[in-house]
Amino acid sequence: MFGITRNRLALVLSAALLLGACATGAGNTTTSGATTTAATAPSTTAAPATTAPATTAPAAAEPITLTFWNYWDGKNGEVLNQLAEQYTSEHPGVTIESVFVGWGDLLPKLQTAVAGGDTPDIAAGDLVWMPKLTRTGILVPLDEYIQAAGVDLGDFYPEMLRVGQYQGHTYSLPVSTNNLELFYNKELFSKAGLDPDTPPTSWSELSDMAAQCTDPSSGVSGLELFTEPGEGLTWQFQVYLWQAGGQFLSDDLTKAAFNSPAGEKALNFWVDEIDNGSAPVAPWGQFGQGKACMVMDGSWMVGIWSSDPPFDFGTAQMPYPSNGQPATNMGGEQIFLFPSDAARQQAAFDFVSWLTGTDAQITWDSETGFGPVRKSVAASDAFVSHVRNSEPRMLPFIENQKYAHSRPPIANYPEVSDAFSEQIERALLGESTPQQALAAAEAAVNKLLGGS
């Protein structure tokens, strides 16, 4: 059966202590949906992944109510509840009890629940939490369930799937996502003599249009960059780095890889935009206030502004260098299980499989504005037609999800991100050259990786 054994329970409780020791303090959020936790990194050699038994669990003999912790509220929470009701109507005897827990409270609440032996059956959390969670051994490995159910993992975007995998096992499935593309203010474009229906497609055009759109007399800059230290800066800069052909960390995740010609090219572009007056060093939010002509931001902003936009805005694929490649950074949620008895675990996985399936995902994405986690959703005529008719400004995010990268799946990524951004900020402030900033960031990041 797939249920928890006594030995596994002991392992889980041991891992719970580790999680409790390593994950306290999680909860500060940066802008643009890039989230980071303030938790101390756990040891990556902590409790190893375990494998679920290979036989299929028996069908539930009694009605089951599954608890599902998540931080989706508002419209997202309404749609989730609708899907849960639909699932129950299609699967009599199984009720999904969705429990909202705020983003900043969910990870600490999970660690408390694990320590107390009172975990939910299912939870959905920020993808940046997964390296911590997968390394503590508290999650149910899904491999046997996936195989038994015939889930087509190849239909998920591989970068999203990788987030929940560790040491050859899959511990979570992608359930929602978003990414970064270009937003531009059509009113400021027209005022500057730019075609409001022709956004830039390359770094060269981005720079030229930013310069033309900049109007110091009106307090308008051409391009907003994230210039404050923290995950917001790192998350945004990684897009430019990948577009230039670089990597943030080495393939084996053991050392920094951004101090490279591609890293210099990306940072030089940012510094040049600041030096030529197109992009100011300023608090984040200039674009939303109508003080910047362009910005790279997340797909969620389309939904936030769709009903009451502050100005006429458009979206487009984020411009990339002529000899570079399209790229974007992604956020989103992963869904995972906690150990319980065989019938509950099987029922929980059945719901997870259904919710992450193509049909439910089309409904989920259409109603919430999340991007597709499955290729079949992105290629669905019904979904694309819905978006084209209801909110075409979402199309660049959907069409470019295939170019999305994930942040490195390392347990101490928040610390690595902070160390990186602190040095890069020095170049943006003119306190060091781009080369000096990249070298200093490389040393700082490698020190953290060597100690992780």
Side-chain angles (χ1 to χ4, degrees):
M1 64 182 183
F2 288 115
I4 187 172
T5 65
R6 181 169 298 178
N7 289 339
R8 176 167 168 72
L9 177 60
L11 175 63
V12 167
L13 293 176
S14 298
L17 297 176
L18 176 62
L19 179 63
C22 73
T24 53
N28 62 309
T29 307
T30 65
T31 58
S32 302
T35 54
T36 180
T37 64
T40 303
S43 167
T44 56
T45 57
T50 56
T51 304
T55 56
T56 301
E62 301 291 337
I64 293 177
T65 297
L66 300 171
T67 54
F68 177 17
W69 290 6
N70 60 82
Y71 51 72
W72 289 311
D73 58 359
K75 178 65 174 178
N76 296 341
E78 293 175 10
V79 177
L80 178 61
N81 288 333
Q82 292 168 8
L83 285 169
E85 291 174 3
Q86 178 184 341
Y87 185 81
T88 296
S89 69
E90 296 174 1
H91 301 80
V94 179
T95 300
I96 309 299
E97 182 184 18
S98 176
V99 179
F100 169 77
V101 183
W103 183 90
D105 296 327
L106 182 53
L107 189 57
K109 188 176 176 68
L110 285 174
Q111 76 186 53
T112 300
V114 169
D118 188 25
T119 56
D121 298 286
I122 309 165
D126 195 315
L127 59 82
V128 299
W129 300 346
M130 297 315 299
K132 288 183 184 297
L133 292 169
T134 57
R135 284 157 177 75
T136 54
I138 62 172
L139 304 183
V140 175
L142 304 180
D143 310 275
E144 300 289 350
Y145 293 104
I146 289 169
Q147 183 177 4
V151 176
D152 180 12
L153 294 183
D155 193 34
F156 291 98
Y157 290 111
E159 282 288 294
M160 304 203 64
L161 202 60
R162 188 167 72 109
V163 171
Q165 295 177 329
Y166 179 60
Q167 292 187 335
H169 297 285
T170 297
Y171 290 91
S172 65
L173 291 176
V175 67
S176 61
T177 191
N178 48 58
N179 60 49
L180 301 173
E181 300 297 345
L182 182 74
F183 286 72
Y184 64 102
N185 186 320
K186 291 190 173 185
E187 296 172 13
L188 292 179
F189 260 47
S190 294
K191 187 176 179 181
L194 295 167
D195 183 349
D197 296 320
T198 308
T201 61
S202 67
W203 281 9
S204 177
E205 291 181 355
L206 179 65
S207 180
D208 290 344
M209 291 187 183
Q212 185 172 338
C213 205
T214 297
D215 182 4
S217 65
S218 300
V220 172
S221 63
L223 175 64
E224 180 172 22
L225 299 172
F226 202 108
T227 58
E228 300 168 291
E231 170 62 1
L233 190 158
T234 304
W235 200 45
Q236 294 235 335
F237 183 81
Q238 286 170 340
V239 175
Y240 288 80
L241 174 67
W242 292 324
Q243 289 180 329
Q247 288 182 272
F248 191 71
L249 298 184
S250 58
D251 288 339
D252 61 4
L253 306 176
T254 61
K255 60 184 178 181
F258 50 73
N259 188 15
S260 63
E264 284 192 30
K265 183 174 184 176
L267 188 51
N268 279 329
F269 181 82
W270 276 39
V271 170
D272 287 347
E273 292 307 299
I274 292 171
D275 289 347
N276 69 23
S278 293
V281 175
W284 183 253
Q286 303 297 304
F287 180 81
Q289 299 172 33
K291 296 180 179 178
C293 297
M294 294 178 283
V295 70
M296 181 173 66
D297 211 332
S299 48
W300 58 88
M301 295 306 300
V302 176
I304 290 174
W305 285 339
S306 62
S307 62
D308 186 23
F311 41 75
D312 187 13
F313 71 93
T315 62
Q317 181 185 47
M318 191 60 203
Y320 56 96
S322 56
N323 59 346
Q325 56 200 14
T328 183
N329 212 335
M330 66 181 183
E333 284 75 35
Q334 299 266 319
I335 190 167
F336 41 88
L337 310 183
F338 289 94
S340 60
D341 63 66
R344 297 187 69 85
Q345 278 192 197
Q346 183 63 59
F349 179 79
D350 289 343
F351 173 69
V352 167
S353 178
W354 180 86
L355 185 62
T356 59
T358 299
D359 290 343
Q361 282 290 300
I362 288 175
T363 301
W364 177 239
D365 293 343
S366 297
E367 297 297 324
T368 62
F370 281 121
V373 299
R374 283 180 171 271
K375 300 169 190 174
S376 58
V377 175
S380 164
D381 290 338
F383 176 62
V384 173
S385 295
H386 170 81
V387 174
R388 196 180 302 280
N389 293 329
S390 61
E391 183 48 274
R393 287 175 292 197
M394 281 297 297
L395 286 174
F397 301 93
I398 295 167
E399 294 169 348
N400 293 294
Q401 182 65 34
K402 58 182 177 288
Y403 302 122
H405 295 242
S406 63
R407 286 159 279 181
I410 54 174
N412 59 346
Y413 175 77
E415 291 84 357
V416 166
S417 172
D418 287 346
F420 173 82
S421 67
E422 288 170 5
Q423 296 302 323
I424 299 305
E425 185 199 27
R426 292 177 58 80
L428 305 183
L429 295 174
E431 297 175 352
S432 63
T433 67
Q435 293 78 11
Q436 290 170 337
L438 288 167
E442 180 182 40
V445 168
N446 282 342
K447 183 178 180 180
L448 286 168
L449 294 176
S452 63

